[in-house]
Amino acid sequence: MNYSKLILAFVVSFVTFFARSQDRKVPNIVVIFIDDMGYGDITPFGSTTNYTPNLVKMAKEGMKLTSFYVASPVCTPSRASLMTGCYPQRVGLNRGSDHIVLFPGDPHGLNPKEITIAELLKTKNYVTGCFGKWHLGDQPGFLPLDQGFDEFYGIPYSSDMWIGNKNWKFPDLPVMRGNTIEYLVEDMAGQAKLCSRFTEEAISFIKRNKEKPFFCYIPQAFVHAPRMASPEFMANAKTAEEGQIEEIDWNVGQILETLKDLKLDKNTLVIFTSDNGPAGGLSAGPLRGRKASVYEGGHRVPTIAWWPGRIPSESECDELMGTIDLLPTFAGLAKIDLPNDRVIDGKDIWPLLAGRVGEKTPHDRFFYQQKGNLSAVRSGDWKLLTNGELYNLKEDLAESLNVADENPKIVEKLQRMLRDFGVEVSANRREVGIVKGSRTLVPRPGVVGEDAYLPTLVLMKRDKE
């Protein structure tokens, strides 16, 4: 018997076991990021139109966050904030190069020098995957594999940026695996399959990495236009919006059941939220405003946090928090120090998610934007818009009564906060990513030569001249 080989095998097995046991001390993290879902679109937040039993169950087993905000009411800036823990102004992505969001072939994108959630978690040996809509730049250097993700399966920008949109001269919509285009979405049947395909890929990722700590980011393309759900969900739906929301609910159930079946639920934090308020056909519930709005309906989004045994079941928190807080919170749970060479706007909200008695929001102020500009601030119950409107959100959640004239001192205090933030963020603003010679990932149908790859906004500007 070769004892040296036995000893070597034992040592290797022990080291592997020890490494895995050390890794398992940190939680798995899943973020389900819906596109354009409003505060009033799911049952836990008051919808009586859409049947969402899995989200009801998730809320019963976890915590409903009723004052959870995105840092922008549109796609690209909102996603930049989630990934970096910063207001979009700070990372230069409060808008695209010539539009409020990035378009196909845009020379702008999330600067590779930024530190994303994925990159941060990889320092603790997390395996990372992104399955869905990226929308932080489609040029080399900006895509998920360049921003800390080990795997990517999804679309590089919004699902309405495709040949079916006659308002713009878009190329076809590519579905990518890594940096390779796997196929093109050619019709509404292809649009309807996106949600289930992203979920299938995410579940495969979870199963393949069940022995490792993982970060699974699922930015769904639903319920952004153009809207069509899978046939089984459209069959009983009165509208495409209802079909898509109910399909999202079913897919959330599949993800949570997978975690339970693999016995990963007691070591996995799941966050369900939306990238901004509702687009047309969707609901902001009791809130004023919609997608792209500075009012609550544009920024306050339906959010549920789930971690059986760690987050109190059937709980609710109305303290102010948001997507900028996810990076520092995940870093804290994974025992990772935040980078000290840059400003991070988010705070660790784990004490709130854990339901600790008496815990309050770590934010004494929160800033809103509209059309890429700083547009409002909230401090405590008070919210001041840059146009001078003042609301008490505790007494007037619908923002129906402007009380600025009756509260000049509060107006002055909040105006000072807006001025101070404008000065501070300008002094500490980081550069957006920019590439030269940007071009679309796929050619525009019916166009030959290099013109087929002209960035959408460049083409539109040229046609107007």
Side-chain angles (χ1 to χ4, degrees), residues 265-278:
D265 53 315
K266 299 298 175 60
N267 194 47
T268 304
L269 168 62
V270 181
I271 302 291
F272 173 93
T273 190
S274 177
D275 70 338
N276 47 245

Side-chain angles (χ1 to χ4, degrees), residues 211-441:
E211 299 298 328
K212 309 169 187 175
F214 58 78
F215 170 49
C216 184
Y217 174 46
I218 313 170
Q220 288 286 6
F222 283 14
V223 287
H224 198 291
R227 299 193 186 109
M228 179 68 70
S230 298
E232 58 269 36
F233 294 95
M234 288 301 298
N236 298 314
K238 295 179 180 178
T239 64
E241 290 80 9
E242 181 183 345
Q244 282 199 327
I245 290 169
E246 294 184 0
E247 183 165 1
I248 283 171
D249 178 79
W250 186 86
N251 279 273
V252 169
Q254 294 300 296
I255 293 165
L256 299 185
E257 284 303 311
T258 297
L259 294 171
K260 291 177 181 179
D261 291 345
L262 296 174
K263 302 189 186 310
L264 297 175
D265 53 315
K266 299 298 175 60
N267 194 47
T268 304
L269 168 62
V270 181
I271 302 291
F272 173 93
T273 190
S274 177
D275 70 338
N276 47 245
L282 300 161
S283 173
L287 308 179
R288 179 180 178 180
R290 312 182 65 78
K291 177 179 181 177
S293 170
V294 69
Y295 296 107
E296 292 296 284
H299 288 75
R300 192 185 296 214
V301 289
T303 306
I304 303 169
W306 182 91
W307 186 354
R310 298 296 302 276
I311 292 177
S313 60
E314 298 189 73
S315 57
E316 183 174 313
C317 184
D318 195 45
E319 292 294 317
L320 189 157
M321 49 187 131
T323 50
I324 59 171
D325 300 320
L326 295 184
L327 181 145
T329 301
F330 298 164
L333 290 170
K335 305 177 180 64
I336 302 170
D337 292 330
L338 290 176
N340 58 15
D341 64 341
R342 65 197 62 207
V343 175
I344 302 293
D345 295 298
K347 308 294 183 183
D348 187 344
I349 55 171
W350 176 246
L352 292 170
L353 300 182
R356 295 176 188 169
V357 177
E359 284 291 336
K360 299 296 182 182
T361 176
H363 297 283
D364 67 343
R365 63 199 70 181
F366 175 82
F367 297 98
Y368 304 66
Q369 74 164 37
Q370 186 176 35
K371 296 181 179 179
N373 301 312
L374 176 64
S375 298
V377 60
R378 174 181 172 179
S379 182
D381 296 328
W382 295 101
K383 177 179 176 181
L384 179 72
L385 277 61
T386 52
N387 68 6
E389 295 173 17
L390 178 71
Y391 300 101
N392 185 312
L393 296 177
K394 184 176 181 179
E395 298 176 359
D396 180 24
L397 183 60
E399 297 173 284
S400 60
L401 182 63
N402 177 9
V403 293
D405 290 344
E406 299 94 313
N407 298 279
K409 291 185 178 180
I410 292 172
V411 169
E412 182 181 357
K413 175 185 174 182
L414 297 185
Q415 284 177 335
R416 187 163 55 250
M417 287 183 178
L418 285 166
R419 287 195 300 270
D420 290 348
F421 179 72
V423 171
E424 187 278 326
V425 80
S426 294
N428 293 288
R429 181 185 176 97
R430 304 193 287 272
E431 292 298 322
V432 67
I434 303 176
V435 299
K436 293 181 179 179
S438 63
R439 64 206 300 267
T440 60
L441 294 174

Side-chain angles (χ1 to χ4, degrees), residues 172-188:
D172 287 309
L173 177 66
V175 175
M176 306 179 70
R177 187 177 297 278
N179 291 328
T180 302
I181 295 170
E182 190 162 280
Y183 71 95
L184 302 176
V185 176
E186 298 178 341
D187 52 30
M188 287 304 296

